Amino acid sequence: MSERKPLLEVDNVTLRFGGVVALNQVDFTLYEGEILGLIGPNGAGKTTCFNAMTGVYLPTEGQIRFKGEQVSGKKRNKITKMGMARTFQNIRLFPEMTALENVLVGADAHNTTSVPTALLRLPKHWREERQSKARALELLNFVGITGRSDDLARNLSYGDQRRLEIARALATNPALLCLDEPAAGFNPAEKVALLELIKKIRDSGVTVLLIEHDMRLVMGVTDRIVVLEFGRKIAEGTPEEVRDNPKVVAAYLGVPDAA
Amino acid sequence: MTTETVKKQRWKLNLRDRFQDLPLPARITAMAVFVVLLYLLPTKAFYENLGFPIPMGSGYLPFYTTGSDMAGVLFQCGYYILLALGLNVVLGYAGLLDLGFFGFFAVGAYTVALLTSPESKLITEYNWFESPWPWLVTVPIAIALAMLSGVLLGWPTLRLRGDYLAIVTLGFAEIIRIVAKNQDWILNGDRGIPSVGHPPGTYSNGEAIFELDFAPYYWLVLTVIIVVIFLIRNLANSRVGRAWVAIREDEDAAELMGVPTFKFKLWAFAIGAAIGGLSGSLWAGQANFVNSATFSLENSILVLAAVLLGGAGSIGGAILGGFLVIYLPEWLRSVGDVFGWPTQVTVGGIHIDVSPTSLRFVIFGALLIVVMIYRPQGLWPNRRRAAELKDRQKEVAPVE
Ligand SMILES: Nc1ncnc2c1ncn2[C@@H]1O[C@H](COP(=O)(O)OP(=O)(O)O)[C@@H](O)[C@H]1O
Ligand SMILES: [Mg+2]
């Protein structure tokens, strides 16, 4: 473990909303090339953890470092440009843009065409459009929604919308992809397909942080798991270690709909 | 039959798509013919040869505004179309509610007036320069100043969301008007600035082109509109346009996908303001006389109505909307003249002005309500909104 490079360090992060302590001294490290599962019952603070990482909220205490650099306080779009991309628990696509355009917005994160270049149709505009479009089509193909590129995002099926969100996030060329319950609402067959996709993403060189409710799903795909409950980290380790941890069992037994 | 062919056939019914299906040379020819027709619009002979029946002895010509100079109406339509195109960038693309858009028109108009009028206080009192500047030179300055005021207004406010922006922009336009009305030191209040300069150019006989005849002004503004459309399209179909729509759709998600939201909102604001200023400078080039009375709040509302009526986010919609809000009342007045619609009625000794131009806010209020109920995406929505409406109708229909 010692020779692995840390990519994301969540360092004793506490985040309060008024009286609610959504994160309580949460502390974990994500290493390059792994798939880390972030699990816990509803309201445990998983989404809040994503929000703190991606700059939506500022931690009350503690630090978050990405590639060794402090991210808290940085602008959200800058954090994305540093190589952290995410999806949302409640799908947040741009509904009136086509699937292709949604992905292009992600690809634009690293483009620099602004008003003068676009206005005058300078070569840089054409070059970036061409490259981004090729990349976007490739990603739509990668997540398996090739035929849908010209459909409005709002007209895609639920499953395709989830896939499109992943493609849009990947288009920003992330080193770390954060997926917030990507399998929510999926049937077993769709879940299996999603697992394959997540593995494919990891194999393409992207580190993955996966929030998931479904314990079995996480077991099958993650290298390590961090368990949150009431904003605290209660366990961390390999899937086997975590599964046999009595605290985790208790946390999950306390929540009947956890499966 | 695959869904693809079903879709294709349904689209065939759509005029716009039929046009898109034509081969490129045919499309270009059709567009060229259309543009030529646009340039012919101020000519009375054009209407006489349309072949529509003319009510006998009435003097009424279909589509022609017999009540006022057709070229003048078209010129006014022109600068309102420009305004609508500008507001469409701000509101339609980026989704920023600007209630004081006419303020930028005022900045443009006053800039031109102050620099081109020999009676400008910059010359007579402050001796900034000796003789008035040519109109053409002042237009870029007017655009730049309008843009600057857009940036200055947007800088603090675009960090806020929603209602704040609407209130601040409303205040901005009103402040300009009130300052212009009450301050004597430069804008000269209601007395205004006379002898504003005109665009350059003379006919071969030495007469100035841009004088009392409205037609050249219309041709000028039409040409400007065509150029502006091309530029806006360049922006809309680029990283900039995508960023705008993404911001409109979901600002947080856009930012988290790497869109520098503040920067692009500011750009939208600056570009809208520049187009507004351009419109104001064209108007001032014709108006001869600029005072604060021109910049009432009603005008901002009229531009807003134009964009919403036509269809926010659609260039065609902005054009149609800008055209309708000016042309429709004038045309109604012409029709009213033929059928003896009174300009004034007296109820209980009170004289009420009921000419269509005075009633235009009533007309557009009613029209807007009807359109928003039956066609909420506007009269000429962009393709997406049109598609969305079809989907909504499908959703409303029982599925199972
Ligand atoms: N913006 C917010 N304001 C106040 N409380 C919040 C906010 N966001 C999340 N919380 C609270 O923080 C806790 C953790 O929520 P969340 O991170 O969404 O949980 P999870 O994603 O693990 O289900 C919950 O108690 C939730 O109500
Ligand atoms: Mg959550």
Side-chain angles (χ1 to χ4, degrees):
Chain A
M1 218 191 233
S2 55
E3 82 260 34
R4 288 191 302 171
K5 253 175 79 183
L7 182 64
L8 177 84
E9 296 154 89
V10 177
D11 187 358
N12 268 309
V13 167
T14 298
L15 206 154
R16 292 194 195 91
F17 296 109
V20 181
V21 186
L23 294 176
N24 195 345
Q25 306 211 320
V26 173
D27 195 86
F28 65 88
T29 301
L30 185 59
Y31 295 94
E32 261 175 27
E34 71 176 343
I35 300 179
L36 182 76
L38 186 61
I39 68 169
N42 246 326
K46 306 180 296 292
T47 300
T48 304
C49 188
F50 267 26
N51 283 334
M53 286 160 46
T54 50
V56 177
Y57 299 135
L58 201 63
T60 320
E61 284 162 37
Q63 274 198 0
I64 296 169
R65 282 184 302 278
F66 182 64
K67 294 178 173 172
E69 213 180 309
Q70 165 110 27
V71 294
S72 318
K74 276 200 161 56
K75 279 194 182 160
R76 298 167 191 182
N77 57 309
K78 290 274 159 56
I79 296 174
T80 307
K81 259 182 103 166
M82 284 171 69
M84 201 187 316
R86 66 175 288 178
T87 65
F88 300 87
Q89 184 172 352
N90 311 307
I91 300 173
R92 290 181 75 169
L93 290 163
F94 308 120
E96 278 187 41
M97 299 176 96
T98 65
L100 180 67
E101 285 168 332
N102 267 274
V103 183
L104 284 174
V105 170
D108 278 337
H110 294 282
N111 288 342
T112 55
T113 292
S114 188
V115 171
T117 313
L119 209 54
L120 302 173
R121 286 285 190 259
L122 297 181
K124 184 167 85 176
H125 161 82
W126 293 116
R127 180 165 24 98
E128 288 187 348
E129 287 292 303
R130 199 176 55 241
Q131 287 168 355
S132 302
K133 194 171 173 199
R135 171 93 179 117
L137 288 172
E138 192 183 298
L139 283 168
L140 286 174
N141 187 33
F142 182 79
V143 301
I145 48 174
T146 308
R148 305 251 77 110
S149 63
D150 290 333
D151 289 3
L152 292 189
R154 62 187 303 282
N155 292 343
L156 295 184
S157 70
Y158 177 80
D160 285 352
Q161 289 194 5
R162 286 241 175 254
R163 286 164 185 281
L164 178 57
E165 251 203 344
I166 295 175
R168 183 180 67 174
L170 284 175
T172 66
N173 238 339
L176 170 62
L177 178 66
C178 307
L179 301 170
D180 196 344
E181 303 204 18
F186 275 16
N187 66 33
E190 288 172 321
K191 282 186 181 175
V192 170
L194 183 77
L195 284 188
E196 289 313 309
L197 179 62
I198 293 173
K199 283 183 188 151
K200 231 166 69 177
I201 291 169
R202 192 260 314 268
D203 294 343
S204 74
V206 179
T207 308
V208 179
L209 179 55
L210 173 67
I211 289 184
E212 192 40 66
H213 221 93
D214 184 338
M215 279 282 265
R216 258 171 310 166
L217 187 84
V218 194
M219 295 296 157
V221 66
T222 51
D223 300 310
R224 287 188 312 128
I225 293 176
V226 169
V227 190
L228 292 183
E229 190 193 16
F230 297 123
R232 267 176 211 282
K233 183 175 89 175
I234 57 167
E236 177 175 2
T238 63
E240 291 73 28
E241 286 165 2
V242 164
R243 188 184 52 204
D244 299 335
N245 186 318
K247 276 192 196 162
V248 178
V249 175
Y252 266 85
L253 286 179
V255 183
D257 67 338
Chain B
M1 207 159 35
T2 68
T3 50
E4 208 59 28
T5 52
V6 171
K7 217 195 226 161
K8 278 251 166 61
Q9 281 177 356
R10 185 166 48 120
W11 280 121
K12 285 279 182 205
L13 299 170
N14 186 320
L15 205 65
R16 172 164 35 191
D17 290 274
R18 274 204 194 157
F19 181 73
Q20 294 295 333
D21 285 348
L22 291 173
L24 188 65
R27 265 179 8 221
I28 290 175
T29 314
M31 286 303 284
V33 170
F34 181 66
V35 168
V36 169
L37 289 180
L38 288 179
Y39 278 92
L40 289 178
L41 284 182
T43 337
K44 194 168 186 182
F46 175 78
Y47 300 88
E48 285 163 350
N49 291 314
L50 275 180
F52 283 96
I54 300 170
M56 280 304 288
S58 65
Y60 177 72
L61 205 51
F63 303 112
Y64 197 74
T65 56
T66 30
S68 33
D69 182 358
M70 184 75 191
V73 172
L74 287 170
F75 172 63
Q76 201 184 350
C77 287
Y79 65 76
Y80 263 87
I81 286 172
L82 269 184
L83 283 164
L85 284 170
L87 183 60
N88 183 49
V89 169
V90 181
L91 176 66
Y93 290 145
L96 304 166
L97 185 52
D98 184 343
L99 291 183
F101 193 68
F102 216 73
F104 301 117
F105 181 93
V107 171
Y110 268 122
T111 305
V112 167
L114 281 173
L115 295 175
T116 63
S117 164
E119 293 177 48
S120 157
K121 285 198 170 173
L122 292 182
I123 296 175
T124 58
E125 268 192 58
Y126 304 111
N127 299 315
W128 278 25
F129 41 89
E130 315 234 295
S131 57
W133 294 11
W135 177 84
L136 200 57
V137 175
T138 64
V139 173
I141 301 173
I143 294 173
L145 282 183
M147 210 163 168
L148 182 68
S149 54
V151 170
L152 289 179
L153 192 63
W155 193 268
T157 48
L158 288 175
R159 293 167 204 277
L160 308 169
R161 300 259 172 109
D163 304 343
Y164 294 101
L165 186 67
I167 293 163
V168 172
T169 49
L170 190 65
F172 163 72
E174 277 299 275
I175 286 169
I176 291 193
R177 187 183 64 82
I178 292 166
V179 167
K181 189 173 165 61
N182 297 324
Q183 299 301 318
D184 245 3
W185 44 270
I186 182 159
L187 300 180
N188 227 5
D190 283 343
R191 272 170 297 137
I193 305 168
S195 314
V196 179
H198 297 296
T202 50
Y203 293 108
S204 50
N205 63 5
E207 258 178 56
I209 299 173
F210 293 95
E211 270 296 326
L212 295 177
D213 183 8
F214 272 109
Y217 292 103
Y218 165 69
W219 291 322
L220 176 65
V221 77
L222 177 59
T223 312
V224 170
I225 289 171
I226 291 170
V227 173
V228 166
I229 289 171
F230 272 102
L231 294 177
I232 292 178
R233 282 179 59 111
N234 279 358
L235 290 178
N237 303 322
S238 78
R239 175 175 183 242
V240 180
R242 280 194 296 272
W244 284 339
V245 177
I247 290 168
R248 182 188 78 202
E249 297 281 282
D250 188 334
E251 191 167 341
D252 288 316
E255 199 170 18
L256 285 165
M257 289 306 129
V259 177
T261 51
F262 178 67
K263 173 181 157 185
F264 280 119
K265 284 197 290 182
L266 202 57
W267 264 122
F269 228 60
I271 289 162
I275 299 172
L278 172 64
S279 175
S281 62
L282 284 166
W283 169 76
Q286 185 279 321
N288 241 328
F289 175 70
V290 177
N291 80 349
S292 62
T294 321
F295 308 117
S296 68
L297 182 63
E298 290 174 352
N299 295 306
S300 290
I301 304 300
L302 206 55
V303 180
L304 192 65
V307 172
L308 295 178
L309 201 61
S314 143
I315 291 177
I319 295 168
L320 183 63
F323 174 77
L324 283 181
V325 294
I326 301 303
Y327 174 79
L328 209 56
E330 293 292 348
W331 177 76
L332 283 175
R333 192 152 64 115
S334 305
V335 177
D337 288 346
V338 175
F339 294 102
W341 181 267
T343 54
Q344 212 181 49
V345 292
T346 309
V347 181
I350 305 167
H351 304 296
I352 304 170
D353 185 350
V354 292
S355 71
T357 28
S358 306
L359 287 179
R360 63 183 176 183
F361 286 100
V362 178
I363 297 168
F364 289 120
L367 192 60
L368 255 179
I369 291 171
V370 172
V371 168
M372 289 303 123
I373 289 172
Y374 293 102
R375 218 176 145 81
Q377 79 284 32
L379 294 173
W380 186 346
N382 70 25
R383 191 184 200 97
R384 308 229 175 90
R385 295 269 169 106
E388 179 196 9
L389 192 81
K390 279 187 190 150
D391 297 332
R392 288 234 175 110
Q393 282 166 343
K394 262 192 299 185
E395 276 166 24
V396 172
V399 180
E400 280 150 327

